[in-house]
Amino acid sequence: QQQVKQSPQSLIVQKGGISIINCAYENTAFDYFPWYQQFPGKGPALLIAIRPDVSEKKEGRFTISFNKSAKQFSLHIMDSQPGDSATYFCAASKIETSGSRLTFGEGTQLTVNP
Amino acid sequence: DSGVTQTPKHLITATGQRVTLRCSPRSGDLSVYWYQQSLDQGLQFLIQYYNGEERAKGNILERFSAQQFPDLHSELNLSSLELGDSALYFCASSVGFEFSYGYTFGSGTRLTVV
């Protein structure tokens, strides 16, 4: 019930291409779905997040698509750049005012070739 | 600099030993979270403190313990260390729930047990 499944494990994209990472969750109580970006030697940093009351959210080149009935959400990176090369994690949690744990996916190592 | 400070950055110790990892949250943040990141287990939630009180517990081993002090800094104590405890340990902090900012992660402590 607490798992978040992420795919693919690794992804290689050419500069200018679209990177797509998918996640699926089981716990229907989850109501907050963030994506984190992690560079080597650094902690994860919030990239973009969505609530289940919307089906899509766009911030610059990054878009989250959310399918509540299928319990799936995905990250699209448009016009991928070499600087986007990093590990991406989807996550999910149940919102609490004091904050709550994030359940992370397994991570996707993205490489954008110049 | 994320504002979350973790010390030390690197730690090498022998099996059976005990270590303490320290985390200073971002100024004003009341919640502190500890996560373990290993190659085979990904990012796993360990424990959360909110304003000095334990708020949530994940799959934290009995050999591990944590606390949050009145000045809101937190310590994670790992005892009777085993080779499998080698991992990156991240601390994150938040005021409570912040949709736009999520949880701010520190740069982590890399623990190597030999």
Side-chain angles (χ1 to χ4, degrees):
Chain A
Q1 280 291 315
Q2 294 294 323
Q3 285 187 319
V4 176
K5 294 290 188 183
Q6 183 173 345
S7 64
Q9 191 173 9
S10 62
L11 181 62
I12 300 174
V13 174
Q14 290 300 117
K15 179 182 175 182
I18 302 174
S19 304
I20 302 174
I21 306 171
N22 301 299
C23 284
Y25 64 97
E26 298 175 356
N27 188 348
T28 55
F30 287 149
D31 54 4
Y32 173 64
F33 301 89
W35 283 88
Y36 279 79
Q37 179 189 55
Q38 185 179 25
F39 292 104
K42 301 291 186 183
L46 180 67
L47 196 59
I48 187 173
I50 198 168
R51 296 286 303 273
D53 51 348
V54 297
S55 60
E56 186 174 282
K57 181 175 181 181
K58 184 176 180 179
E59 288 185 1
R61 297 184 294 109
F62 302 93
T63 300
I64 299 179
S65 296
F66 188 84
N67 185 330
K68 187 174 180 179
S69 61
K71 293 188 285 186
Q72 294 175 349
F73 58 111
S74 60
L75 175 70
H76 291 63
I77 306 174
M78 312 300 287
D79 188 26
S80 299
Q81 298 297 312
D84 297 331
S85 297
T87 301
Y88 292 80
F89 292 93
C90 62
S93 77
K94 174 75 177 72
I95 292 174
E96 314 230 3
T97 53
S98 62
S100 64
R101 71 174 75 182
L102 289 170
T103 299
F104 283 91
E106 298 90 341
T108 296
Q109 188 159 353
L110 171 66
T111 301
V112 181
N113 289 326
Chain B
D1 182 11
S2 68
V4 178
T5 303
Q6 288 189 249
T7 57
K9 291 190 183 304
H10 303 277
L11 198 51
I12 301 175
T13 190
T15 55
Q17 294 297 305
R18 172 189 169 95
V19 297
T20 297
L21 313 184
R22 182 187 170 99
C23 170
S24 293
R26 196 178 53 170
S27 177
D29 285 357
L30 300 176
S31 265
V32 170
Y33 314 78
W34 286 97
Y35 286 83
Q36 180 192 58
Q37 185 175 35
S38 59
L39 284 175
D40 57 342
Q41 295 289 327
L43 272 162
Q44 298 287 318
F45 170 75
L46 296 177
I47 197 163
Q48 177 203 357
Y49 280 83
Y50 178 76
N51 203 20
E53 294 187 1
E54 183 182 304
R55 184 57 63 108
K57 217 171 195 179
N59 294 327
I60 187 168
L61 299 172
E62 284 190 10
R63 300 183 286 109
F64 295 1
S65 65
Q67 53 184 330
Q68 186 178 29
F69 295 86
D71 66 352
L72 301 178
H73 92 271
S74 178
E75 292 181 356
L76 179 67
N77 300 295
L78 315 176
S79 61
S80 302
L81 285 167
E82 302 175 0
L83 296 178
D85 298 327
S86 296
L88 263 170
Y89 290 84
F90 286 105
C91 168
S93 72
S94 68
V95 171
F97 170 72
E98 297 172 308
F99 180 85
S100 296
Y101 298 101
Y103 310 132
T104 303
F105 281 80
S107 293
T109 293
R110 182 173 293 280
L111 173 67
T112 303
V113 182
V114 297

